[in-house]
Amino acid sequence: MVSNGSNRGEKVPSLKLTVIQYGILFMMLALAGGLWRLQVLGAQNYRALAEQNRIRKEPIMAPRGKLFDRENRLLVDNYPSVSCFLVREQSHNVEADLPLIARGLNLDLDQLRATIHHFRFSPGYQPIPIKEDISADEQAFIAAHRNELPELETIDEERRLYPRDGFAAHLIGYVGEVSEDDLNNPRFAYYEPGDVVGKAGVEETYDALLRGTDGSRDVIVDSHGREVGYFGTQHATPGQDLNLTIDLDIQRAAEEALGSAPGAVVVMDPRNGDILALVSHPAYDPNDFAVKINRADWSKLITDPLHPLMNKAIQDQLAPGSTFKIIMSAAGLEEGVAQNMHVMCNGGADFYGRFFKCDKHHGLLDIDEAIPMSCDTFFYTLAQRLGIDTIAKYAIEFGLSQKTGIDLPNEMSGIMPSTQWELKNFHQRYYPGNTISVGIGQGETQVTPIQLLRALSGLASDGHFVRPRLVDPDQQRPPLSSDFRQALLDSFPGSGNRYVPLKPDTWMTITNGMAAATTPGPFHTAAEAHLEGVDFAGKTGTAQVVGGGDTHTRGGSKTPNAWFVGMVPRRNPEMAVVVLQEHGDWGSGSAMIAQRIVIAYVNKQRRLEKNVLQQAGAAKPVEVGAVWSDPQPAGQDMVGTPTAAVHAGHFYVDPDSQTGPVAAAPEALASGAPSLLPAWLRESLLRFKEELPQEYGTREYGPRESVP
């Protein structure tokens, strides 16, 4: 009985047995499903992962597009370079190799570790750039340690080669590695850490065209990461070359004319907005950024009080001084106020209980005399009669207090005060006394050089104002797409192309006044910049700085800024130039700089016609000698035979004359030889003139330059 009871107690209940059986079945099904997922459903994925263990994708960097000037002369090129990358895919202790890598590649160990830490969140398959533009010795180090350091790889690429000494630096810009801040910008949504992008100037504006599309190469490697072959290659697509509107000859002339003076020069064709030259000094060397600028050099650039990184042509916002009087004249003439004004200048005048000074005693004068003489008293009076809001209305119509829309990044808009501006910014009413200072381009008025150039050249073009540009979309090969053009307009808003109707008398009076300013005459402010035979018009400006007063110590921090805006010819100009010298004293100095640029421009236009503009100090005539006989009988010899007179002399051939004359040397003049010079000899000497060496026939000299 006991035995039977014990057997019944050890028997497993059928329900529990059923549960156990189904549990085992479920586990088997789960295992089978997992195997199915791994071996069937996930086969492609794991096969790809397995391929990555033996195939490594190496980038092929796209060559960046080159930059040319308007005549297809090379401005910016590329040069072959090798960069070193660190690959993290290998099962290798990279941290232990860092000291050896730092020594072999001449890197700071802490900086190397910081670079690797910077890429800690990037995908493991992405190579880390650790040194760019490595030397031949460093390449040899990598090759010699291939087995010890399989994580080091080199990539061939082309790196930017810019003009030296900062030539055209601010208009060209530079390239650099995309920063973390850039990657947070939607504009850089398709960029990855380590990518090289345009950072300023044309390089930044047209980066999408210039950078091209990178390719890749599939490299077969062994278990140690050593290359054993290639699986396939996707070739890179080079970036598009661009022709800028810049004229290399005019750019060079502008750079040399401004010299070491801090400031800016812009030369433009007012007919279409083509920028022929753009200079900002002091400049920086973009080649310092082509690899990677070191911290010391970067710190020096950003702490320099002269701001070499600032593009002063489009970013320097300063009082325009007397150049603003052209805008004042246009406003006064359009409003019918200035035509009949006659003002007595006794060195200044009283307005609102305060004496406002003029630098000369001009006497009684009208608008035709006030422009070339730049009489402050006249324009004080005109400003009082117009009022600040009328002045602001015309200044804004002519493009002040707004960007021009030039295709360069970070353009500034300037300031044009008005009653509304004063209320918005300072929550107070505008005081009429401030209008007097605005009338001569002082006070709160601020402009950029490019704004001032566009405004005054537009007035000289009968109210046709253009958008400045460094790239003409229609001149590119292939032409820029309509989508890209629209993106440019959206990215660089501004006053753009605009027509402001002007009265014929307004146009004639302003242009004649600016032309008179550059011709000899009493109190004419730019008379020293006169060019005989060239219709050169312009306006000077001497703008006081805050706290500067009448201090005229050239280069001092309180010395006025020197402006000049000029154009050739005076009406419907084909070339206009603005010159700004920071703390350059009188505007006449800037006019002389502009004159040198105009000489270079006019000479280039005339060179094909061999009609070069010459100033004082032009090429000296070349002295030659000749002996000839007079075909008319001069007498008889000892036996009675008629004889011909024999003559000799020295002559000067003017190498710059197109038709002669052939001038006799002083001793020949005394003997009357020129009257005896036969036609055949004249023709021979003229042919000699045409065959003179290059330095005699085509060299041009400025007004103060002597012949070597």
Side-chain angles (χ1 to χ4, degrees):
M1 297 292 295
V2 175
S3 177
N4 292 339
S6 177
N7 291 336
R8 287 193 300 270
E10 293 175 358
K11 188 177 181 179
V12 179
S14 59
L15 179 60
K16 185 181 292 187
L17 182 60
T18 302
V19 172
I20 293 172
Q21 291 173 342
Y22 278 104
I24 293 172
L25 178 61
F26 177 78
M27 292 175 61
M28 295 297 292
L29 290 174
L31 289 172
L35 289 173
W36 175 267
R37 182 177 59 83
L38 290 173
Q39 297 187 14
V40 180
L41 297 181
Q44 288 295 110
N45 181 47
Y46 289 103
R47 184 178 293 110
L49 292 176
E51 286 293 314
Q52 290 182 8
N53 289 331
R54 69 180 185 88
I55 298 178
R56 182 170 61 234
K57 190 175 290 292
E58 290 184 352
I60 299 176
M61 314 305 291
R64 199 167 176 86
K66 299 177 183 180
L67 298 179
F68 299 85
D69 84 334
R70 67 190 298 114
E71 297 177 4
N72 213 38
R73 292 174 289 186
L74 186 63
L75 286 173
V76 179
D77 200 357
N78 302 311
Y79 70 93
S81 173
V82 178
S83 296
C84 181
F85 288 77
L86 189 144
V87 179
R88 294 170 290 172
E89 291 180 315
Q90 310 303 324
S91 55
H92 194 79
N93 186 3
V94 174
E95 183 65 31
D97 293 338
L98 294 184
L100 176 60
I101 294 174
R103 287 196 304 271
L105 297 180
N106 301 303
L107 294 170
D108 180 77
L109 181 57
D110 292 336
Q111 182 62 38
L112 177 59
R113 286 184 171 132
T115 300
I116 294 174
H117 180 74
H118 175 73
F119 287 88
R120 65 191 183 278
F121 296 121
S122 61
Y125 60 83
Q126 179 180 327
I128 299 176
I130 58 175
K131 188 167 187 181
E132 300 168 314
D133 204 25
I134 62 176
S135 66
D137 290 342
E138 291 163 346
Q139 294 179 49
F141 165 79
I142 295 172
H145 293 78
R146 179 66 64 191
N147 292 333
E148 301 170 66
L149 304 172
E151 64 270 26
L152 291 185
E153 292 292 342
T154 57
I155 294 179
D156 296 329
E157 55 185 328
E158 293 192 8
R159 201 167 295 282
R160 264 328 203 201
L161 182 62
Y162 295 105
R164 294 185 298 173
D165 303 322
F167 182 87
H170 291 88
L171 74 91
I172 294 172
Y174 61 92
V175 295
E177 185 179 329
V178 64
S179 65
E180 291 185 4
D181 292 338
D182 291 336
L183 293 173
N184 294 327
N185 187 329
R187 175 179 163 228
F188 297 93
Y190 298 101
Y191 292 77
E192 296 180 352
D195 284 348
V196 173
V197 298
K199 288 286 189 177
V202 171
E203 291 276 28
E204 179 176 338
T205 300
Y206 294 92
D207 182 71
L209 297 178
L210 292 169
R211 72 186 309 263
T213 304
D214 294 339
S216 63
R217 179 187 297 112
D218 294 329
V219 180
I220 303 174
V221 297
D222 60 16
S223 59
H224 298 286
R226 294 186 291 261
E227 296 182 8
V228 296
Y230 296 99
F231 187 76
T233 300
Q234 180 180 353
H235 296 286
T237 302
Q240 180 176 338
D241 295 339
L242 288 179
N243 281 87
L244 307 185
T245 61
I246 294 299
D247 186 313
L248 190 57
D249 299 319
I250 307 303
Q251 178 73 28
R252 185 181 294 111
E255 298 265 3
E256 293 175 353
L258 186 59
S260 60
V265 174
V266 186
V267 184
M268 183 179 74
D269 185 342
R271 297 169 297 184
N272 52 26
D274 283 355
I275 298 296
L276 305 178
L278 188 148
V279 180
S280 178
H281 283 177
Y284 59 90
D285 190 347
N287 292 294
D288 293 340
F289 296 87
V291 180
K292 183 176 288 186
I293 191 168
N294 60 56
R295 293 182 178 180
D297 290 341
W298 174 251
S299 177
K300 183 179 178 180
L301 285 173
I302 61 177
T303 57
D304 191 324
L306 295 178
H307 309 293
L309 291 175
M310 174 190 284
N311 187 347
K312 295 177 180 179
I314 65 171
Q315 293 178 312
D316 217 356
Q317 301 177 103
L318 300 169
S322 293
T323 58
F324 190 76
K325 293 173 182 176
I326 301 301
I327 293 175
M328 287 290 301
S329 299
L333 291 167
E334 288 295 298
E335 290 291 313
V337 174
Q339 288 88 336
N340 301 316
M341 278 183 56
H342 291 80
V343 176
M344 175 60 71
C345 173
N346 293 314
D350 289 299
F351 298 94
Y352 304 105
R354 174 188 165 192
F355 182 76
F356 288 80
K357 183 181 176 182
C358 183
D359 65 320
K360 297 284 192 308
H361 289 68
H362 295 102
L364 184 66
L365 72 173
D366 59 13
I367 185 72
D368 295 320
E369 299 164 312
I371 294 176
M373 294 184 184
S374 196
C375 176
D376 288 347
T377 306
F378 184 93
F379 289 97
Y380 291 148
T381 306
L382 180 59
Q384 182 189 41
R385 296 187 183 182
L386 290 176
I388 189 62
D389 286 334
T390 301
I391 297 172
K393 167 193 167 185
Y394 284 96
I396 293 171
E397 276 192 349
F398 301 152
L400 301 193
S401 79
Q402 53 197 306
K403 299 177 181 179
T404 64
I406 187 174
D407 46 348
L408 286 176
N410 305 315
E411 181 187 7
M412 303 302 289
S413 58
I415 296 173
M416 185 62 228
S418 64
T419 54
Q420 184 179 2
W421 175 86
E422 188 81 12
L423 185 63
K424 178 181 178 180
N425 290 278
F426 300 102
H427 309 290
Q428 63 185 20
R429 67 183 182 88
Y430 192 87
Y431 292 96
N434 294 342
T435 308
I436 308 303
S437 296
V438 171
I440 61 167
Q442 296 283 172
E444 303 95 333
T445 310
Q446 293 186 1
V447 301
T448 64
I450 191 71
Q451 277 181 326
L452 197 59
L453 178 66
R454 177 184 178 274
L456 268 61
S457 62
L459 288 172
S461 301
D462 197 17
H464 293 273
F465 299 85
V466 294
R467 175 192 295 270
R469 64 187 183 187
L470 282 162
V471 172
D472 181 357
D474 295 321
Q475 295 302 313
Q476 306 310 309
R477 294 293 178 270
L480 304 189
S481 67
S482 58
D483 290 342
F484 191 88
R485 298 186 194 201
Q486 188 58 48
L488 277 179
L489 296 176
D490 295 340
S491 300
F492 300 97
S495 46
N497 296 316
R498 180 184 300 176
Y499 173 63
V500 180
L502 297 175
K503 297 176 181 177
D505 288 346
T506 299
W507 185 36
M508 300 293 287
T509 300
I510 288 174
T511 51
N512 288 340
M514 288 193 292
T518 62
T519 56
F523 304 130
H524 288 189
T525 55
E528 291 183 353
H530 175 66
L531 290 172
E532 192 66 35
V534 178
D535 190 14
F536 179 31
K539 184 70 188 76
T540 59
T542 304
Q544 294 181 3
V545 298
V546 176
D550 291 326
T551 303
H552 292 287
T553 304
R554 184 177 176 82
S557 61
K558 295 183 178 181
T559 304
N561 296 317
W563 289 92
F564 179 79
V565 181
M567 52 222 55
V568 177
R570 75 182 75 180
R571 282 187 279 276
N572 295 322
E574 62 186 50
M575 175 269 201
V577 57
V578 60
V579 177
L580 164 66
Q581 291 186 90
E582 292 180 336
H583 310 296
D585 205 4
W586 299 103
S588 56
S590 292
M592 297 299 293
I593 292 175
Q595 182 202 53
R596 293 180 60 185
I597 299 169
V598 170
I599 289 174
Y601 176 83
V602 174
N603 275 333
K604 181 164 186 177
Q605 303 305 311
R606 293 181 173 184
R607 190 169 290 120
L608 292 177
E609 293 81 19
K610 297 182 181 180
N611 185 24
V612 177
L613 172 65
Q614 296 291 344
Q615 294 298 303
K620 293 185 294 187
V622 181
E623 185 177 358
V624 297
V627 178
W628 71 97
S629 61
D630 188 350
Q632 299 298 325
Q636 294 180 342
D637 59 13
M638 295 179 63
V639 296
T641 304
T643 60
V646 178
H647 303 274
H650 290 105
F651 304 93
Y652 289 104
V653 180
D654 182 1
D656 295 314
S657 173
Q658 302 304 306
T659 60
V662 178
E667 61 269 25
L669 286 173
S671 66
S675 63
L676 302 175
L677 192 66
W680 67 266
L681 180 59
R682 291 179 58 87
E683 294 175 359
S684 177
L685 291 177
L686 286 174
R687 285 196 300 271
F688 171 79
K689 173 187 75 68
E690 294 174 355
E691 297 171 359
L692 288 174
Q694 183 73 15
E695 61 266 27
Y696 287 111
T698 59
R699 183 170 180 181
E700 308 94 45
Y701 297 94
R704 301 187 187 279
E705 186 177 359
S706 60
V707 181

